[in-house]
Amino acid sequence: MVSQSRGAHVLVWEQPGLEDQRPKGYSGGLGTRHWVTFMLFLGMANAYVMRTNMSVAIVAMVNHTALPVDKEAVDTECGSVDPNKTVDTSSQDGSFVWSSTLQGYILSSFFYGYVITQIPFGILSKRYGARLFLGVGMLINSVFAFLVPLAAEAGYEWLILVRFIQGLGEGPIVPCSHAMLAKWIPPNERSRMGAAVYAGAQFGTVISMPLSGLLSAYGFSGGWPSIFYVFGLIGTIWCLAFLFFVSEDPESCPSIKETEKKYILNSLWGAAGSSSPPIPWSKILLSMPFWAIMLAHMGQNYGYETLMTQLPTFMKQVLHFSIKDNGFVSALPYLCMWLFSMFISVVADWMLSSGRFNHTQVRKIVNSIGEYGPAIGLFIAANTGCNAAATVAILAIGVGLNGGIYSGFKVNHLDISPRFAGILMAFTNCLANLTGLLAPIVAGYIIEGRPTQAQWRIVFYIAGGVYIVCGTIYNIFGSGRRQEWDNPAEDEALAKKAAAKKAEKVQRKAVNNQNEAETAQ
């Protein structure tokens, strides 16, 4: 499904009239690929529920009144602190006496497991398929959720181990979802389908935060344990349904209509199927479009973590208002991001189908909204003074605009290399998560002992600057075209070349062995 142009392969989706190449009798509408997208969306939501529920549960698990309390540094530029607002009116306290430092280790243990499995699962999913790794990995994550209450009672060491194993199980979710999208979704549908899947992250957070709070207060088995039992059961059901009712690719799916299968396979050109060509590591590492995605992803995670974890702290220390006191307000930014990501994804696909914009232009335009928007929001939030309402509004708008990244760099891996998209996402997501962990460390160092508006302004300016720099690098070096190192037409020639090199090496070794034998005689 390629045509020749100046000696280069032009992909079928880069040619005009792609819609005309749909199989005769194919009417569009909902199909098996939409079912796969929906299941991946639920999987992503489940992953983020498992990721965030501990941060809510640990508040009910810890006996706060038994902990030694140090006076927290606060700023008085916006007036003195009202003691009536800082008193915890809840009479409920947990049974675990864990210091703030230990709580940090417990909360972060999940992410260490999550990060270290990104690249291995990206490579394995390319070689052996993504479906099994994704389903089994998330099943491990869900089953071990049932063990969290038991592990907590046994000791914090066991709890850290269980959460670490949960993180290991969740490692495949992003690279394997990306690999499956590459096999199932035609290029001109990737913006909305990819955004739909990754928006599951915000959906899961919106569901997890208020529901975990309700279960913690009113749930069975003492409250907070019900969080892990309920979400563990839901996750297990999803994993079994995914493994039984979702296929690796259109070619192995028994229920897909033949017309839809032809439509997908014709548009992908070598992205689906069981072929597993050698991974061109050196060419990938020398590819500027890949590095553009990498830096955009790293900048996104740094800015996102600053935006979501540090603004509430700023509002508590400087504005004397905790955004976490209101469940709806806590979930509002994620809700805005989810809704905007759905809207902008439809706009992005319309831009592509209109023929007025190519993939490169669309990815850069939409990604600029997703990275420059939050940057501007951070710059404004740094100068809102003592206006708490304005800060909440900026938080919601800034995080909302951040939804543009799902139709920007987040699906760009699929454009430049459909067959290696899972591996590319594994690399960028791994380094991006490591970069995101730096955000609270940098912020903590800057505001330690002096949480003034001037110090917080530095935190916001750094995060906004990272957004702008990384977004600009993406706009300069990013591309929406499939790269020459992912060319199925060259697979046969590369395979013959590799086989000839291997045969030559074997022959050379045999000659050396024969010479050594003759010398010994």
Side-chain angles (χ1 to χ4, degrees), residues 313-334:
T313 305
F314 163 77
M315 294 169 67
K316 176 183 178 182
Q317 291 184 337
V318 177
L319 303 181
H320 316 314
F321 168 80
S322 176
I323 195 172
K324 295 181 181 179
D325 290 342
N326 188 311
F328 173 76
V329 176
S330 297
L332 181 61
Y334 299 98

Side-chain angles (χ1 to χ4, degrees), residues 165-381:
I165 294 174
Q166 282 191 280
L168 292 176
E170 190 166 309
I173 184 68
V174 171
C176 290
S177 293
H178 228 58
M180 291 196 68
L181 285 171
K183 297 176 181 179
W184 275 98
I185 308 303
N188 281 356
E189 298 179 6
R190 282 180 184 153
S191 295
R192 60 180 180 272
M193 297 293 201
V197 169
Y198 288 106
Q202 275 63 54
F203 180 78
T205 304
V206 169
I207 294 297
S208 174
M209 292 181 69
L211 188 54
S212 293
L214 290 174
L215 288 172
S216 180
Y218 307 110
F220 56 91
S221 295
W224 67 263
S226 63
I227 296 174
F228 301 98
Y229 295 143
V230 170
F231 289 129
L233 178 61
I234 293 173
T236 301
I237 293 173
W238 175 85
C239 293
L240 295 176
F242 180 82
L243 290 170
F244 280 107
F245 300 114
V246 174
S247 299
E248 178 71 29
D249 52 51
E251 292 176 298
S252 61
C253 181
S255 60
I256 189 172
K257 292 183 180 179
E258 191 64 27
T259 51
E260 184 185 10
K261 181 194 292 187
K262 288 182 180 178
Y263 166 55
I264 296 173
L265 297 181
N266 288 348
S267 66
L268 292 180
W269 183 57
S274 58
S275 62
S276 183
I279 301 171
W281 294 111
S282 60
K283 293 182 179 179
I284 290 175
L285 294 176
L286 293 174
S287 172
M288 287 309 299
F290 166 71
W291 283 105
I293 296 173
M294 174 79 81
L295 290 171
H297 204 160
M298 293 171 69
Q300 150 66 19
N301 271 43
Y302 184 91
Y304 182 80
E305 290 301 322
T306 298
L307 200 63
M308 294 312 300
T309 64
Q310 299 307 309
L311 271 178
T313 305
F314 163 77
M315 294 169 67
K316 176 183 178 182
Q317 291 184 337
V318 177
L319 303 181
H320 316 314
F321 168 80
S322 176
I323 195 172
K324 295 181 181 179
D325 290 342
N326 188 311
F328 173 76
V329 176
S330 297
L332 181 61
Y334 299 98
L335 181 62
C336 291
M337 187 173 180
W338 178 40
L339 294 175
F340 183 74
S341 66
M342 293 292 95
F343 166 75
I344 199 65
S345 67
V346 174
V347 173
D349 276 345
W350 172 82
M351 292 169 69
L352 289 171
S353 60
S354 69
R356 298 170 184 166
F357 303 88
N358 58 37
H359 281 74
T360 301
Q361 293 168 332
V362 170
R363 298 292 176 242
K364 291 181 178 180
I365 292 172
V366 176
N367 194 74
S368 294
I369 297 174
E371 300 218 52
Y372 293 157
I376 295 172
L378 280 165
F379 293 149
I380 296 175

